[in-house]
Amino acid sequence: MSFISGFFQRIPPVTKNLAGICFVVWAAMALVPGIDRALTRWCAMYYFTSPGYMPFQLITYLFMHGSFTHLFFNMFALLMFGGIVERTLGSQRFLFYYLACGVGAGLIQEGVSAIFIHKYTAMFPPETAEEIITRGWSLMQQHMTFTDPTAHVLNALVNTPLVGASGAVYGVLLAFGMLFPNQPIFIWFIPVPVKAKWLVVGYVVMELAYGLGGVADNVAHFAHLGGMLVGLVMILYWKKKGTFNGHWMV
């Protein structure tokens, strides 16, 4: 217990609070009857033409998770890498970085979704496509959908909620890999340590392969890449401005 309490005491405040909020939200959704549907309705992120879309969802979706496994792996990565990145960037800059990566991830996922939604919308007359989206929203609230496969896909693309801190967490992982590229990381299924920079490259390649391959695994791979892309731009900008004051590791 002393080791665990000591570990949490060493975690800087923003990382600790971000993880704590995610755990509290997940616990509330798991334990309080009815709150899961209300939080999903208002705080998950929907496509911008969905009846459920609200602009603030670009922030709130980061604090929601669909399962304990989803929550655990995101928060494990945040606690492992976020504390080090927060100490390097400073708490205020780290919070801005984390939220910016999360918002950027959501926007890029929306942009990628727009390509597929345009494709399926074009298969229907405009009024029919609009009706599918509007009626489909009501059906989704009842855990129902259309029997027509094309209408089903269009409805799912527009009205399925996006949740999870993965985009922001991938941004944190990218920052760690850029700031400490040669830091060895031990991964349980690899017998030798992997340098942080190669771990980041591996994640990029994997997410691109899954995303471009159209793997139907209910994972927003382009949101992950979006978080890393936003993080890359910010880290390079801060490096150019001399923000890290000698913390840049090579």
Side-chain angles (χ1 to χ4, degrees):
M1 289 296 292
S2 59
F3 171 79
I4 296 176
S5 61
F7 170 77
F8 281 104
Q9 287 176 359
R10 290 192 296 272
I11 299 173
V14 172
T15 299
K16 186 185 300 183
N17 287 329
L18 288 171
I21 293 170
C22 289
F23 274 107
V24 168
V25 171
W26 177 84
M29 293 178 68
L31 300 175
V32 180
I35 199 173
D36 57 331
R37 293 189 63 180
L39 284 175
T40 300
R41 164 64 184 86
W42 292 103
C43 298
M45 190 178 75
Y46 296 88
Y47 187 68
F48 73 91
T49 60
S50 168
Y53 173 76
M54 300 286 182
F56 59 77
Q57 293 168 353
L58 279 166
I59 294 289
T60 55
Y61 90 100
L62 293 169
F63 299 98
M64 301 182 62
H65 292 82
S67 66
F68 180 75
T69 301
H70 188 201
L71 171 74
F72 175 80
F73 282 107
N74 273 345
M75 295 303 102
F76 179 80
L78 176 60
L79 292 173
M80 290 298 101
F81 300 108
I84 299 172
V85 176
E86 181 179 345
R87 292 189 189 97
T88 304
L89 298 182
S91 293
Q92 290 185 344
R93 184 174 280 111
F94 175 74
L95 177 60
F96 176 79
Y97 177 85
Y98 182 90
L99 294 178
C101 287
V103 170
L107 289 174
I108 289 175
Q109 183 63 35
E110 294 268 284
V112 172
S113 297
I115 298 172
F116 294 98
I117 289 169
H118 175 75
K119 170 186 173 182
Y120 284 97
T121 299
M123 297 179 182
F124 300 97
E127 62 275 7
T128 303
E130 184 176 351
E131 181 182 356
I132 289 171
I133 292 172
T134 304
R135 185 172 168 228
W137 166 257
S138 299
L139 290 174
M140 293 283 275
Q141 303 311 299
Q142 305 170 56
H143 304 287
M144 300 169 62
T145 187
F146 297 99
T147 55
D148 178 77
T150 307
H152 163 73
V153 173
L154 176 58
N155 181 38
L157 285 169
V158 175
N159 290 317
T160 298
L162 176 67
V163 297
S166 300
V169 170
Y170 269 69
V172 171
L173 177 62
L174 183 282
F176 183 87
M178 292 185 70
L179 293 168
F180 307 96
N182 295 319
Q183 177 69 36
I185 298 175
F186 292 87
I187 304 173
W188 68 271
F189 57 84
I190 299 179
V192 294
V194 178
K195 289 184 178 181
K197 60 185 176 183
W198 299 124
L199 178 66
V200 170
V201 170
Y203 270 113
V204 170
V205 171
M206 181 177 65
E207 293 298 329
L208 275 173
Y210 279 119
L212 295 176
V215 178
D217 55 1
N218 293 322
V219 176
H221 297 289
F222 286 103
H224 299 170
L225 291 168
M228 298 180 90
L229 177 61
V230 173
L232 174 64
V233 172
M234 294 178 67
I235 293 295
L236 289 177
Y237 174 78
W238 284 333
K239 180 188 178 185
K240 184 178 180 180
K241 292 293 185 180
T243 299
F244 302 111
N245 295 322
H247 287 292
W248 190 272
M249 308 289 288
V250 295

